[in-house]
Amino acid sequence: MNEYLKHDEWCIIEEGFTPENHRSSESIFSLGNGNMGQRAMFEEQYSGETLQGTYIAGVYYPDKTRVGWWKNGYPEYFAKVLNAPNWIGIDVKINGEMLDLAKCEVSEFIRTLNMKEGVLERSFVATMSNGNKVKIEAKRFLSIVTSEVGVIRYSVTALNFDGKISFNSYIDADVKNEDSNYDEKFWDILNTKSMTGEAYITARTKKLDFHVCMNMRYKVLKNGQDVTATADIIEKEKYVANTVEFSVEQGDELSFYKYVSVLSSLNHNKTEISGNAAKVSAAAFEKGYGALLEEHVAAWAEKWTISDIVIEGDVAAQQAIRFNIFQLNQTYTGEDERLNIGPKGFTGEKYGGSTYWDTEAYCVPFYLSTSRPEVTRNLLIYRHKQLQKAIENAEKLGFTNGAALYPMVTMNGEECHNEWEITFEEIHRNGAIAFAIYNYIRHTDDKAYLAEYGLDVLVGISRFWSQRITYSEAKKKYVMLGVTGPNEYENNVNNNWYTNTIACWCMSYTQEAFKHVKESNPARYEEIIKNLNFDFETETARWNDILENMHFPVDEETGVFMQQDGFMDKEQLMASDLDPQFRPINQFWSWDRILRSCFIKQADVLQGVYLFEENYDMETIKKNYNFYEPRTLHESSLSPCIHSILASKIGDIDSAYEMYLRTSRLDLDDYNREAHEGLHITSMAGTWMSIVEGFGGMRVVNGQLSLKPLIPEKWQSYSFKVLFRGNLLNIYVSAEEVGVINEEGDDISIFIKDDEYKIEKSSSLVIEN
């Protein structure tokens, strides 16, 4: 852990500049607006360790892999969101000396991420080598109202000298990805232009030919009044800039305002993109910093109105949940069904910014309750549009008859992950996609989705399971061989309990979906049967035979669901037996040693118990939790939240709270020593789940909302809001009472601790806890 950030309810605050923390801070203080994102690099030049990161949603590159591409079925490339041209740069010279925090004396340094307003601020005093002292105040935001605009206010105050201060404002397209497989640069330059007060670069990606244009404008104020200076125009092959210099006296403040438009060919015609970028930056310049900031802050206030969670009595917990919600809201807005949620969002290069099963398993519950239904629907449609690619992925591995294997990692539906134990074996991702359809319909009651989009996907997935499962003469049972479950510290195992469980559930749910579509929309049912060439009697007969005769490994002595065949053959150690200085083990142990150990990276059996808890009694849930939790290292960001929810379920509130802090402060306190690589965006949705589904006990049961709230001892109270079938409910929990306010929508009936209550529109309910 690395606890260097100050606790505050609405802000992330770093006091004092420690270069060793800077790359982690670049991740933690990142900004985004759904359309683009920016790591918190400095605007001014910095010669210390840094990871320049500017990312544009949907713009990626198929980087040829180093391994496996010559083997049948292996992906040829790993897709990655590109490090785009750097638009934030403002070099500052003080009497001819470049401002560089790695080379000057820095004091009074404060970096603040204001999550309430969506603004990054930074201030410090720099003493140059010649003794000149300046105070710097920088403020930056990416507009969530005009999502193609970024704005910077950068102020320099001369504290102890008279002289010259210059600003060199630039856009630099000579950038690279740190994770480039062959040290290749991914951008070609189409045109550059620099003129007084304005400059732009239009670049294209290699291979896929995405075009991006960035256009900058600026103005300067001296002590609050407009000033101008003759600009030196710089125009190179990959770099454009304007340099302006001003005379100052001691106490003078120069404020440099930079307005930049960032446009891509996803949303603009390539022949018009440069002109459109000029129009967007001109409009931002004309509107001005104050008006842009005001509308941006108001839009964030609206987001917080629905998605905020309020915790009284625990500042660390309050800060953490808001940080997680903030990052989720600035990563994905649901406006564009072509986009999805990368595990690192806009905060780093790891995982390539591609789509993983994290979206369906972790993010869908968050967006279902905090956004209009169309947002989650777009996440599902994203997968439906890639169904044919999923079928092609399965065909590459020898599957037939429309069987669909969705990719572990993708941008366009093609598999682009090249680790064999993941690409070919971690097939439970198919189940997560099917469950997301069920979860969406369970929450919204949008059963029409099945006929429109969902059933096609469910059939493709069920056909895959039917072919992937084989019959064992030795066991006289169906089995699934050579898989990797959610626990990636086990590879190539037989009969992973979770994978077998979710596969069978998929085949069962698909039949329920068929029944509903047949009854509600017979014409569409016949169309689907015909289009899919689905032999209902034959195919479902095999599915049902599998359901009746599937092998699920169980330890006969304890009754615990075994993670896979042979799990008890391992030496049964506990996580507490490990020396903390050698954690996480993936940074110290060989992979061979990890695979031979009993240690679990993340919830596996417990993932299935969480999804299908209604199938198990409390004794079974406790038994499996108490067996697996001590063996789990939580070295995946996706793990602590599931354990927290189940700990709440069984009434172990202390463990639930401990796991909540671990998942919520995973990046803020850098539990796994990897914040410098970027944040764990998709697991942040699990933090929300830990409170709402864990402490709040929220479920949808038979079409109704149900609550079974608990409260950690350290908290005085907590509250959250839920959008549910046209109602906006504000739920409040303290040790003494539970309150529900029906803020929007008609009358609604909900269950609280198994008792049903009717809450009329615009009214509230308070009961004893």
Side-chain angles (χ1 to χ4, degrees):
M1 293 173 63
N2 185 16
E3 300 176 83
Y4 67 94
L5 301 170
K6 185 178 178 181
H7 290 177
D8 182 274
E9 291 186 351
W10 275 109
C11 294
I12 309 301
I13 302 168
E14 178 184 10
E15 294 181 338
F17 181 56
T18 305
E20 293 77 16
N21 292 333
H22 180 56
R23 271 195 55 155
S24 294
S25 291
E26 287 180 328
S27 301
I28 291 167
F29 290 82
S30 293
L31 292 177
N33 63 7
N35 183 61
M36 60 178 171
Q38 184 73 52
R39 282 175 62 85
M41 313 98 64
F42 297 152
E43 289 87 356
E44 71 276 359
Q45 189 175 111
Y46 182 64
S47 58
E49 186 178 358
T50 180
L51 175 61
Q52 191 273 320
T54 302
Y55 311 104
I56 302 170
V59 176
Y60 70 97
Y61 181 82
D63 195 13
K64 187 174 182 179
T65 64
R66 286 186 174 274
V67 298
W69 52 265
W70 58 88
K71 299 178 181 178
N72 289 337
Y74 257 75
E76 295 185 0
Y77 67 89
F78 188 89
K80 50 193 60 172
V81 170
L82 297 186
N83 183 11
N86 177 17
W87 60 267
I88 70 167
I90 306 172
D91 290 340
V92 180
K93 286 186 177 179
I94 313 298
N95 281 331
E97 183 178 350
M98 186 71 73
L99 176 63
D100 182 342
L101 269 68
K103 297 180 179 179
C104 64
E105 181 185 327
V106 181
S107 61
E108 300 177 38
F109 180 97
I110 300 178
R111 178 162 28 190
T112 303
L113 179 62
N114 184 328
M115 299 180 289
K116 191 172 188 177
E117 299 183 349
V119 172
L120 173 61
E121 300 176 77
R122 183 168 55 100
S123 65
F124 60 92
V125 171
T127 303
M128 312 301 285
S129 62
N130 59 10
N132 291 163
K133 191 176 286 191
V134 291
K135 181 176 178 62
I136 305 295
E137 296 176 294
K139 194 167 184 174
R140 180 196 312 174
F141 64 94
L142 303 181
S143 174
I144 61 169
V145 177
T146 308
S147 62
E148 294 175 325
V149 170
V151 186
I152 300 170
R153 180 186 185 273
Y154 194 98
S155 298
V156 183
T157 301
L159 294 181
N160 67 346
F161 67 92
D162 302 338
K164 303 280 188 180
I165 295 177
S166 71
F167 300 98
N168 178 57
S169 177
Y170 64 85
I171 303 172
D172 182 9
D174 190 17
V175 294
K176 63 181 181 180
N177 271 52
E178 188 178 57
D179 66 351
S180 171
N181 284 337
Y182 293 91
D183 298 322
E184 181 182 11
K185 293 184 177 181
F186 300 135
W187 295 93
D188 288 327
I189 306 304
L190 295 175
N191 54 65
T192 60
K193 184 67 177 177
S194 187
M195 59 208 92
T196 300
E198 179 185 357
Y200 71 87
I201 285 181
T202 306
R204 61 176 291 275
T205 65
K206 298 175 182 179
K207 292 187 180 179
L208 298 183
D209 197 39
F210 291 107
H211 288 204
V212 167
C213 183
M214 297 183 177
N215 184 295
M216 74 171 186
R217 298 171 193 264
Y218 63 91
K219 68 184 300 184
V220 184
L221 273 62
K222 182 177 181 181
N223 300 324
Q225 302 296 315
D226 286 355
V227 290
T228 58
T230 302
D232 289 335
I233 307 302
I234 303 171
E235 189 176 312
K236 301 177 183 177
E237 180 188 1
K238 298 182 179 182
Y239 180 97
V240 290
N242 273 204
T243 302
V244 288
E245 186 175 68
F246 301 91
S247 297
V248 295
E249 297 179 354
Q250 183 175 335
D252 283 345
E253 179 190 57
L254 290 173
S255 297
F256 190 95
Y257 292 82
K258 185 171 184 177
Y259 306 84
V260 181
S261 61
V262 180
L263 277 62
S264 82
S265 57
L266 265 74
N267 304 307
H268 296 270
N269 187 295
K270 292 174 182 177
T271 61
E272 300 172 351
I273 194 168
S274 295
N276 290 349
K279 292 175 184 176
V280 172
S281 69
F285 182 87
E286 185 66 26
K287 181 174 283 189
Y289 175 85
L292 288 167
L293 179 59
E294 183 178 1
E295 67 182 17
H296 172 76
V297 171
W300 265 109
E302 187 174 343
K303 281 184 178 290
W304 284 115
T305 296
I306 295 177
S307 60
D308 191 22
I309 291 179
V310 179
I311 298 171
E312 294 186 356
D314 189 341
V315 175
Q318 176 67 88
Q319 179 188 48
I321 188 58
R322 283 184 172 144
F323 179 67
N324 285 253
I325 293 169
F326 174 75
Q327 293 293 346
L328 286 163
N329 278 333
Q330 71 171 2
T331 299
Y332 181 76
T333 64
E335 302 296 330
D336 190 338
E337 64 189 36
R338 298 171 298 177
L339 303 179
N340 210 280
I341 308 156
K344 295 291 184 186
F346 296 122
T347 70
E349 297 176 11
K350 192 174 181 180
Y351 304 123
S354 299
T355 304
Y356 284 65
W357 70 291
D358 306 21
T359 292
E360 285 77 19
Y362 294 86
C363 297
V364 159
F366 170 79
Y367 291 108
L368 275 174
S369 291
T370 63
S371 306
R372 64 192 188 282
E374 291 79 10
V375 170
T376 304
R377 208 173 200 266
N378 278 344
L379 288 173
L380 302 185
I381 291 172
Y382 174 91
R383 293 292 195 179
H384 180 269
K385 287 187 170 183
Q386 296 178 355
L387 176 58
Q388 185 55 42
K389 287 285 188 183
I391 292 171
E392 293 170 11
N393 290 335
E395 288 174 347
K396 292 176 183 177
L397 304 184
F399 296 90
T400 61
N401 191 35
L405 175 59
Y406 276 90
M408 186 65 182
V409 177
T410 194
M411 284 290 187
N412 64 357
E414 255 183 330
E415 177 65 76
C416 60
H417 195 289
N418 65 336
E419 295 177 36
W420 65 270
E421 69 276 13
I422 305 298
T423 308
F424 303 140
E425 295 193 343
E426 204 164 329
I427 52 179
H428 63 83
R429 73 243 190 184
N430 252 13
I433 291 165
F435 192 86
I437 295 171
Y438 163 75
N439 210 7
Y440 166 76
I441 294 170
R442 173 172 64 172
H443 193 96
T444 65
D445 200 34
D446 181 13
K447 295 186 179 72
Y449 183 82
L450 287 172
E452 192 173 358
Y453 297 108
L455 188 52
D456 290 3
V457 172
L458 292 172
V459 169
I461 289 172
S462 290
R463 281 174 159 172
F464 171 80
W465 292 127
S466 178
Q467 294 179 44
R468 185 61 168 78
I469 292 166
T470 55
Y471 187 74
S472 165
E473 286 291 346
K475 284 185 168 64
K476 303 300 181 186
K477 291 280 187 179
Y478 285 97
V479 296
M480 188 142 33
L481 309 177
V483 302
T484 297
N487 171 28
E488 293 173 343
Y489 286 174
E490 296 274 12
N491 298 157
N492 198 33
V493 302
N494 295 335
N495 295 305
N496 173 259
W497 182 89
Y498 172 73
T499 307
N500 286 12
T501 297
I502 203 163
C504 288
W505 174 86
C506 286
M507 289 181 282
S508 177
Y509 180 60
T510 302
Q511 292 181 75
E512 291 179 28
F514 263 122
K515 180 180 179 182
H516 172 78
V517 173
K518 185 176 184 179
E519 292 174 352
S520 63
N521 193 340
R524 176 60 178 151
Y525 172 83
E526 294 298 334
E527 182 183 7
I528 292 173
I529 291 285
K530 181 180 179 181
N531 290 344
L532 299 180
N533 192 27
F534 191 79
D535 185 336
F536 190 90
E537 185 174 341
T538 301
E539 295 198 48
T540 59
R542 174 169 170 82
W543 298 357
N544 288 324
D545 194 35
I546 292 172
L547 296 180
E548 292 173 11
N549 296 287
M550 191 71 191
H551 169 59
F552 297 98
V554 176
D555 180 59
E556 297 299 333
E557 184 176 336
T558 63
V560 169
F561 304 141
M562 282 295 92
Q563 185 175 262
Q564 72 267 341
D565 287 347
F567 183 79
M568 293 303 290
D569 292 339
K570 294 171 176 283
E571 184 182 9
Q572 295 299 310
L573 300 175
M574 303 294 141
S576 58
D577 295 327
L578 294 173
D579 187 336
Q581 70 174 322
F582 296 113
R583 302 269 303 270
I585 61 171
N586 60 35
Q587 296 179 17
F588 296 96
W589 287 17
S590 70
W591 198 245
D592 168 71
R593 185 181 179 188
I594 290 172
L595 293 178
R596 287 186 286 106
S597 79
C598 73
F599 295 119
I600 298 168
K601 181 181 180 184
Q602 70 188 81
D604 191 305
V605 167
L606 296 184
Q607 184 83 26
V609 172
Y610 158 70
L611 290 183
F612 307 114
E613 64 174 28
E614 67 274 12
N615 296 336
Y616 312 112
D617 59 30
M618 187 64 75
E619 181 184 354
T620 300
I621 295 173
K622 284 183 178 179
K623 185 188 302 180
N624 281 278
Y625 180 87
N626 291 333
F627 180 84
Y628 283 108
E629 200 289 320
R631 294 163 170 79
T632 303
L633 303 182
H634 303 294
E635 291 176 4
S636 164
S637 65
L638 302 175
S639 186
C641 63
I642 299 300
H643 286 252
S644 180
I645 294 167
L646 290 177
S648 290
K649 173 78 175 177
I650 64 176
D652 186 352
I653 193 69
D654 291 338
S655 294
Y657 176 75
E658 178 189 345
M659 289 297 168
Y660 163 75
L661 281 185
R662 185 181 180 97
T663 185
S664 65
R665 300 196 63 86
L666 178 71
D667 292 311
L668 291 176
D669 295 339
D670 203 7
Y671 273 81
N672 289 345
R673 307 179 191 179
E674 54 191 17
H676 63 284
E677 298 175 335
L679 306 179
H680 296 85
I681 300 299
T682 47
S683 74
M684 289 179 174
T687 298
W688 179 92
M689 290 158 55
S690 296
I691 293 181
V692 176
E693 297 183 7
F695 302 136
M698 191 190 85
R699 304 288 190 274
V700 179
V701 182
N702 297 324
Q704 288 182 271
L705 211 61
S706 172
L707 301 169
K708 292 185 178 179
L710 303 169
I711 184 167
E713 187 176 326
K714 286 192 174 185
W715 296 3
Q716 296 172 14
S717 69
Y718 64 97
S719 64
F720 57 89
K721 294 186 180 181
V722 174
L723 283 166
F724 181 73
R725 302 189 182 184
N727 289 84
L728 176 60
L729 303 176
N730 188 342
I731 297 159
Y732 167 87
V733 181
S734 70
E736 294 78 29
E737 61 186 24
V738 178
V740 182
I741 304 173
N742 188 0
E743 294 189 353
E744 293 180 16
D746 296 328
D747 300 353
I748 187 172
S749 290
I750 69 172
F751 283 86
I752 304 176
K753 296 186 176 180
D754 296 324
D755 292 324
E756 187 173 12
Y757 299 89
K758 182 178 180 180
I759 310 173
E760 296 179 350
K761 62 181 180 181
S762 303
S763 67
S764 61
L765 166 76
V766 178
I767 65 171
E768 289 185 3
N769 193 3

